[in-house]
Amino acid sequence: MTSTTAVSRPPAAMPLVGHYVPEILSLARRGLVWAVLYGTFARASRGGCVSPNDSVEPVCYNATLDPLPFTWFVMALVFVIALGSAAKATRTAVINRTLRIAATALWAVPLLAAVLALTSFLTASPEALWNGLPPANVTVQLTSD
């Protein structure tokens, strides 16, 4: 009697990243929350009137800081690169590290961008806002009284 052994095909392997769908969705939600917070808190305005000397009438200004769209682009890029890296990973430790780094970057990027923008905007002299070239996310309106 001959014994036959059935050769079975290995089951279709689910990518390892498939086990991390809840963590990926949580990362997306947290990234969205930080993007909304950045859009909310990276806004400022300031204004006033400055008279260079007594013989010149004062120049009034109103400067407005808006969120920089590049920050949202960087956040989206971090998320997409993290997903791509996690999808190619073959070990759970690599996936965990990738998602942890992405989670840190998704709060650090908008927080750092907002702090830098607000600090530079609020510490700039009024003359620097209208005499120099203001940043792309700053709108300056001048009026003479």
Side-chain angles (χ1 to χ4, degrees), residues 92-120:
T92 59
V94 174
I95 295 173
N96 285 330
R97 186 180 72 233
T98 301
L99 295 178
R100 189 176 60 250
I101 291 171
T104 302
L106 284 178
W107 67 260
V109 167
L111 186 64
L112 182 63
V115 167
L116 289 175
L118 286 169
T119 302
S120 65

PDB file of all heavy atoms in Angstrom, residues 92-120:
ATOM      1  N   THR A  92       6.574  42.671  13.409  1.00  0.00           N
ATOM      2  CA  THR A  92       5.667  43.523  14.169  1.00  0.00           C
ATOM      3  C   THR A  92       6.401  44.652  14.872  1.00  0.00           C
ATOM      4  O   THR A  92       5.848  45.739  15.039  1.00  0.00           O
ATOM      5  CB  THR A  92       4.876  42.703  15.200  1.00  0.00           C
ATOM      6  OG1 THR A  92       5.785  42.073  16.089  1.00  0.00           O
ATOM      7  CG2 THR A  92       3.991  41.688  14.518  1.00  0.00           C
ATOM      8  N   ALA A  93       7.627  44.425  15.282  1.00  0.00           N
ATOM      9  CA  ALA A  93       8.391  45.477  15.958  1.00  0.00           C
ATOM     10  C   ALA A  93       8.622  46.666  15.029  1.00  0.00           C
ATOM     11  O   ALA A  93       8.565  47.823  15.454  1.00  0.00           O
ATOM     12  CB  ALA A  93       9.730  44.932  16.450  1.00  0.00           C
ATOM     13  N   VAL A  94       8.853  46.386  13.762  1.00  0.00           N
ATOM     14  CA  VAL A  94       9.070  47.453  12.786  1.00  0.00           C
ATOM     15  C   VAL A  94       7.783  48.242  12.570  1.00  0.00           C
ATOM     16  O   VAL A  94       7.791  49.474  12.489  1.00  0.00           O
ATOM     17  CB  VAL A  94       9.598  46.870  11.449  1.00  0.00           C
ATOM     18  CG1 VAL A  94       9.681  47.935  10.383  1.00  0.00           C
ATOM     19  CG2 VAL A  94      10.951  46.209  11.663  1.00  0.00           C
ATOM     20  N   ILE A  95       6.660  47.543  12.483  1.00  0.00           N
ATOM     21  CA  ILE A  95       5.370  48.214  12.305  1.00  0.00           C
ATOM     22  C   ILE A  95       5.056  49.084  13.521  1.00  0.00           C
ATOM     23  O   ILE A  95       4.639  50.235  13.379  1.00  0.00           O
ATOM     24  CB  ILE A  95       4.245  47.197  12.042  1.00  0.00           C
ATOM     25  CG1 ILE A  95       4.483  46.495  10.715  1.00  0.00           C
ATOM     26  CG2 ILE A  95       2.887  47.877  12.050  1.00  0.00           C
ATOM     27  CD1 ILE A  95       3.534  45.357  10.434  1.00  0.00           C
ATOM     28  N   ASN A  96       5.266  48.537  14.716  1.00  0.00           N
ATOM     29  CA  ASN A  96       5.016  49.314  15.934  1.00  0.00           C
ATOM     30  C   ASN A  96       5.881  50.573  15.984  1.00  0.00           C
ATOM     31  O   ASN A  96       5.397  51.657  16.310  1.00  0.00           O
ATOM     32  CB  ASN A  96       5.274  48.462  17.176  1.00  0.00           C
ATOM     33  CG  ASN A  96       4.174  47.460  17.414  1.00  0.00           C
ATOM     34  OD1 ASN A  96       3.028  47.694  17.065  1.00  0.00           O
ATOM     35  ND2 ASN A  96       4.529  46.334  18.013  1.00  0.00           N
ATOM     36  N   ARG A  97       7.149  50.433  15.660  1.00  0.00           N
ATOM     37  CA  ARG A  97       8.069  51.581  15.678  1.00  0.00           C
ATOM     38  C   ARG A  97       7.654  52.609  14.618  1.00  0.00           C
ATOM     39  O   ARG A  97       7.636  53.810  14.895  1.00  0.00           O
ATOM     40  CB  ARG A  97       9.506  51.124  15.444  1.00  0.00           C
ATOM     41  CG  ARG A  97      10.502  52.260  15.610  1.00  0.00           C
ATOM     42  CD  ARG A  97      11.925  51.830  15.384  1.00  0.00           C
ATOM     43  NE  ARG A  97      12.122  51.576  13.969  1.00  0.00           N
ATOM     44  CZ  ARG A  97      12.614  50.456  13.461  1.00  0.00           C
ATOM     45  NH1 ARG A  97      12.982  49.472  14.249  1.00  0.00           N
ATOM     46  NH2 ARG A  97      12.757  50.305  12.169  1.00  0.00           N
ATOM     47  N   THR A  98       7.292  52.157  13.434  1.00  0.00           N
ATOM     48  CA  THR A  98       6.871  53.071  12.361  1.00  0.00           C
ATOM     49  C   THR A  98       5.634  53.858  12.766  1.00  0.00           C
ATOM     50  O   THR A  98       5.578  55.078  12.589  1.00  0.00           O
ATOM     51  CB  THR A  98       6.601  52.282  11.076  1.00  0.00           C
ATOM     52  OG1 THR A  98       7.791  51.588  10.689  1.00  0.00           O
ATOM     53  CG2 THR A  98       6.160  53.194   9.950  1.00  0.00           C
ATOM     54  N   LEU A  99       4.641  53.176  13.314  1.00  0.00           N
ATOM     55  CA  LEU A  99       3.413  53.860  13.721  1.00  0.00           C
ATOM     56  C   LEU A  99       3.648  54.795  14.904  1.00  0.00           C
ATOM     57  O   LEU A  99       3.045  55.866  14.990  1.00  0.00           O
ATOM     58  CB  LEU A  99       2.320  52.838  14.043  1.00  0.00           C
ATOM     59  CG  LEU A  99       1.840  51.994  12.863  1.00  0.00           C
ATOM     60  CD1 LEU A  99       0.792  50.984  13.310  1.00  0.00           C
ATOM     61  CD2 LEU A  99       1.314  52.865  11.742  1.00  0.00           C
ATOM     62  N   ARG A 100       4.555  54.417  15.807  1.00  0.00           N
ATOM     63  CA  ARG A 100       4.879  55.273  16.951  1.00  0.00           C
ATOM     64  C   ARG A 100       5.596  56.544  16.500  1.00  0.00           C
ATOM     65  O   ARG A 100       5.277  57.657  16.955  1.00  0.00           O
ATOM     66  CB  ARG A 100       5.728  54.501  17.955  1.00  0.00           C
ATOM     67  CG  ARG A 100       5.936  55.223  19.265  1.00  0.00           C
ATOM     68  CD  ARG A 100       6.707  54.399  20.284  1.00  0.00           C
ATOM     69  NE  ARG A 100       8.026  54.031  19.809  1.00  0.00           N
ATOM     70  CZ  ARG A 100       8.410  52.787  19.475  1.00  0.00           C
ATOM     71  NH1 ARG A 100       7.558  51.791  19.570  1.00  0.00           N
ATOM     72  NH2 ARG A 100       9.632  52.552  19.054  1.00  0.00           N
ATOM     73  N   ILE A 101       6.528  56.420  15.558  1.00  0.00           N
ATOM     74  CA  ILE A 101       7.235  57.590  15.030  1.00  0.00           C
ATOM     75  C   ILE A 101       6.272  58.498  14.271  1.00  0.00           C
ATOM     76  O   ILE A 101       6.311  59.717  14.400  1.00  0.00           O
ATOM     77  CB  ILE A 101       8.414  57.143  14.139  1.00  0.00           C
ATOM     78  CG1 ILE A 101       9.499  56.501  14.994  1.00  0.00           C
ATOM     79  CG2 ILE A 101       8.976  58.314  13.341  1.00  0.00           C
ATOM     80  CD1 ILE A 101      10.605  55.823  14.199  1.00  0.00           C
ATOM     81  N   ALA A 102       5.389  57.902  13.490  1.00  0.00           N
ATOM     82  CA  ALA A 102       4.402  58.702  12.743  1.00  0.00           C
ATOM     83  C   ALA A 102       3.464  59.428  13.698  1.00  0.00           C
ATOM     84  O   ALA A 102       3.126  60.593  13.472  1.00  0.00           O
ATOM     85  CB  ALA A 102       3.611  57.804  11.798  1.00  0.00           C
ATOM     86  N   ALA A 103       3.044  58.757  14.772  1.00  0.00           N
ATOM     87  CA  ALA A 103       2.158  59.405  15.744  1.00  0.00           C
ATOM     88  C   ALA A 103       2.850  60.602  16.391  1.00  0.00           C
ATOM     89  O   ALA A 103       2.230  61.647  16.595  1.00  0.00           O
ATOM     90  CB  ALA A 103       1.720  58.401  16.802  1.00  0.00           C
ATOM     91  N   THR A 104       4.127  60.461  16.686  1.00  0.00           N
ATOM     92  CA  THR A 104       4.882  61.571  17.268  1.00  0.00           C
ATOM     93  C   THR A 104       5.027  62.706  16.265  1.00  0.00           C
ATOM     94  O   THR A 104       4.846  63.878  16.611  1.00  0.00           O
ATOM     95  CB  THR A 104       6.271  61.094  17.726  1.00  0.00           C
ATOM     96  OG1 THR A 104       6.098  60.038  18.684  1.00  0.00           O
ATOM     97  CG2 THR A 104       7.060  62.228  18.346  1.00  0.00           C
ATOM     98  N   ALA A 105       5.316  62.380  15.026  1.00  0.00           N
ATOM     99  CA  ALA A 105       5.494  63.419  13.997  1.00  0.00           C
ATOM    100  C   ALA A 105       4.183  64.147  13.721  1.00  0.00           C
ATOM    101  O   ALA A 105       4.196  65.345  13.441  1.00  0.00           O
ATOM    102  CB  ALA A 105       6.030  62.796  12.714  1.00  0.00           C
ATOM    103  N   LEU A 106       3.051  63.442  13.826  1.00  0.00           N
ATOM    104  CA  LEU A 106       1.768  64.074  13.517  1.00  0.00           C
ATOM    105  C   LEU A 106       1.340  65.099  14.564  1.00  0.00           C
ATOM    106  O   LEU A 106       0.484  65.923  14.299  1.00  0.00           O
ATOM    107  CB  LEU A 106       0.675  63.019  13.331  1.00  0.00           C
ATOM    108  CG  LEU A 106       0.741  62.276  12.006  1.00  0.00           C
ATOM    109  CD1 LEU A 106      -0.356  61.224  11.927  1.00  0.00           C
ATOM    110  CD2 LEU A 106       0.636  63.226  10.827  1.00  0.00           C
ATOM    111  N   TRP A 107       1.910  65.057  15.762  1.00  0.00           N
ATOM    112  CA  TRP A 107       1.637  66.148  16.710  1.00  0.00           C
ATOM    113  C   TRP A 107       2.798  67.129  16.766  1.00  0.00           C
ATOM    114  O   TRP A 107       2.600  68.313  17.035  1.00  0.00           O
ATOM    115  CB  TRP A 107       1.270  65.645  18.107  1.00  0.00           C
ATOM    116  CG  TRP A 107       2.344  64.951  18.884  1.00  0.00           C
ATOM    117  CD1 TRP A 107       2.504  63.614  19.032  1.00  0.00           C
ATOM    118  CD2 TRP A 107       3.394  65.565  19.642  1.00  0.00           C
ATOM    119  NE1 TRP A 107       3.596  63.350  19.804  1.00  0.00           N
ATOM    120  CE2 TRP A 107       4.169  64.535  20.204  1.00  0.00           C
ATOM    121  CE3 TRP A 107       3.773  66.877  19.889  1.00  0.00           C
ATOM    122  CZ2 TRP A 107       5.273  64.768  21.000  1.00  0.00           C
ATOM    123  CZ3 TRP A 107       4.892  67.118  20.672  1.00  0.00           C
ATOM    124  CH2 TRP A 107       5.627  66.073  21.228  1.00  0.00           C
ATOM    125  N   ALA A 108       4.020  66.654  16.509  1.00  0.00           N
ATOM    126  CA  ALA A 108       5.180  67.539  16.614  1.00  0.00           C
ATOM    127  C   ALA A 108       5.248  68.538  15.457  1.00  0.00           C
ATOM    128  O   ALA A 108       5.591  69.708  15.665  1.00  0.00           O
ATOM    129  CB  ALA A 108       6.463  66.716  16.675  1.00  0.00           C
ATOM    130  N   VAL A 109       4.922  68.101  14.250  1.00  0.00           N
ATOM    131  CA  VAL A 109       5.000  68.987  13.078  1.00  0.00           C
ATOM    132  C   VAL A 109       4.064  70.187  13.207  1.00  0.00           C
ATOM    133  O   VAL A 109       4.503  71.335  13.098  1.00  0.00           O
ATOM    134  CB  VAL A 109       4.761  68.197  11.766  1.00  0.00           C
ATOM    135  CG1 VAL A 109       4.516  69.122  10.597  1.00  0.00           C
ATOM    136  CG2 VAL A 109       5.932  67.279  11.489  1.00  0.00           C
ATOM    137  N   PRO A 110       2.758  69.988  13.460  1.00  0.00           N
ATOM    138  CA  PRO A 110       1.899  71.168  13.557  1.00  0.00           C
ATOM    139  C   PRO A 110       2.178  72.019  14.795  1.00  0.00           C
ATOM    140  O   PRO A 110       2.071  73.243  14.743  1.00  0.00           O
ATOM    141  CB  PRO A 110       0.481  70.602  13.593  1.00  0.00           C
ATOM    142  CG  PRO A 110       0.637  69.210  14.042  1.00  0.00           C
ATOM    143  CD  PRO A 110       1.974  68.757  13.556  1.00  0.00           C
ATOM    144  N   LEU A 111       2.564  71.382  15.896  1.00  0.00           N
ATOM    145  CA  LEU A 111       2.865  72.151  17.101  1.00  0.00           C
ATOM    146  C   LEU A 111       4.091  73.027  16.885  1.00  0.00           C
ATOM    147  O   LEU A 111       4.082  74.225  17.212  1.00  0.00           O
ATOM    148  CB  LEU A 111       3.069  71.213  18.286  1.00  0.00           C
ATOM    149  CG  LEU A 111       3.256  71.873  19.638  1.00  0.00           C
ATOM    150  CD1 LEU A 111       1.993  72.640  20.022  1.00  0.00           C
ATOM    151  CD2 LEU A 111       3.572  70.838  20.696  1.00  0.00           C
ATOM    152  N   LEU A 112       5.129  72.467  16.309  1.00  0.00           N
ATOM    153  CA  LEU A 112       6.340  73.237  16.035  1.00  0.00           C
ATOM    154  C   LEU A 112       6.076  74.344  15.016  1.00  0.00           C
ATOM    155  O   LEU A 112       6.531  75.478  15.190  1.00  0.00           O
ATOM    156  CB  LEU A 112       7.450  72.304  15.527  1.00  0.00           C
ATOM    157  CG  LEU A 112       8.797  72.936  15.248  1.00  0.00           C
ATOM    158  CD1 LEU A 112       9.396  73.505  16.526  1.00  0.00           C
ATOM    159  CD2 LEU A 112       9.737  71.918  14.646  1.00  0.00           C
ATOM    160  N   ALA A 113       5.314  74.031  13.982  1.00  0.00           N
ATOM    161  CA  ALA A 113       4.994  75.037  12.962  1.00  0.00           C
ATOM    162  C   ALA A 113       4.194  76.185  13.567  1.00  0.00           C
ATOM    163  O   ALA A 113       4.454  77.363  13.270  1.00  0.00           O
ATOM    164  CB  ALA A 113       4.226  74.398  11.809  1.00  0.00           C
ATOM    165  N   ALA A 114       3.233  75.875  14.419  1.00  0.00           N
ATOM    166  CA  ALA A 114       2.414  76.924  15.039  1.00  0.00           C
ATOM    167  C   ALA A 114       3.238  77.780  15.988  1.00  0.00           C
ATOM    168  O   ALA A 114       3.131  79.013  15.979  1.00  0.00           O
ATOM    169  CB  ALA A 114       1.233  76.302  15.775  1.00  0.00           C
ATOM    170  N   VAL A 115       4.069  77.157  16.793  1.00  0.00           N
ATOM    171  CA  VAL A 115       4.893  77.914  17.740  1.00  0.00           C
ATOM    172  C   VAL A 115       5.871  78.823  17.000  1.00  0.00           C
ATOM    173  O   VAL A 115       6.016  80.003  17.350  1.00  0.00           O
ATOM    174  CB  VAL A 115       5.636  76.956  18.701  1.00  0.00           C
ATOM    175  CG1 VAL A 115       6.724  77.675  19.480  1.00  0.00           C
ATOM    176  CG2 VAL A 115       4.648  76.307  19.657  1.00  0.00           C
ATOM    177  N   LEU A 116       6.529  78.300  15.982  1.00  0.00           N
ATOM    178  CA  LEU A 116       7.471  79.126  15.221  1.00  0.00           C
ATOM    179  C   LEU A 116       6.770  80.273  14.510  1.00  0.00           C
ATOM    180  O   LEU A 116       7.256  81.411  14.515  1.00  0.00           O
ATOM    181  CB  LEU A 116       8.233  78.271  14.213  1.00  0.00           C
ATOM    182  CG  LEU A 116       9.260  77.309  14.793  1.00  0.00           C
ATOM    183  CD1 LEU A 116       9.851  76.434  13.691  1.00  0.00           C
ATOM    184  CD2 LEU A 116      10.356  78.064  15.508  1.00  0.00           C
ATOM    185  N   ALA A 117       5.631  79.999  13.890  1.00  0.00           N
ATOM    186  CA  ALA A 117       4.911  81.046  13.163  1.00  0.00           C
ATOM    187  C   ALA A 117       4.401  82.123  14.108  1.00  0.00           C
ATOM    188  O   ALA A 117       4.567  83.324  13.841  1.00  0.00           O
ATOM    189  CB  ALA A 117       3.752  80.435  12.378  1.00  0.00           C
ATOM    190  N   LEU A 118       3.809  81.708  15.217  1.00  0.00           N
ATOM    191  CA  LEU A 118       3.273  82.694  16.164  1.00  0.00           C
ATOM    192  C   LEU A 118       4.387  83.508  16.812  1.00  0.00           C
ATOM    193  O   LEU A 118       4.264  84.720  16.978  1.00  0.00           O
ATOM    194  CB  LEU A 118       2.435  81.993  17.237  1.00  0.00           C
ATOM    195  CG  LEU A 118       1.073  81.497  16.781  1.00  0.00           C
ATOM    196  CD1 LEU A 118       0.453  80.593  17.830  1.00  0.00           C
ATOM    197  CD2 LEU A 118       0.162  82.661  16.468  1.00  0.00           C
ATOM    198  N   THR A 119       5.483  82.857  17.157  1.00  0.00           N
ATOM    199  CA  THR A 119       6.597  83.571  17.777  1.00  0.00           C
ATOM    200  C   THR A 119       7.195  84.594  16.823  1.00  0.00           C
ATOM    201  O   THR A 119       7.416  85.747  17.204  1.00  0.00           O
ATOM    202  CB  THR A 119       7.687  82.576  18.230  1.00  0.00           C
ATOM    203  OG1 THR A 119       7.102  81.647  19.143  1.00  0.00           O
ATOM    204  CG2 THR A 119       8.837  83.291  18.901  1.00  0.00           C
ATOM    205  N   SER A 120       7.443  84.190  15.597  1.00  0.00           N
ATOM    206  CA  SER A 120       8.033  85.129  14.643  1.00  0.00           C
ATOM    207  C   SER A 120       7.060  86.250  14.296  1.00  0.00           C
ATOM    208  O   SER A 120       7.459  87.395  14.100  1.00  0.00           O
ATOM    209  CB  SER A 120       8.489  84.414  13.379  1.00  0.00           C
ATOM    210  OG  SER A 120       7.386  83.882  12.690  1.00  0.00           O
TER     211      SER A 120
END
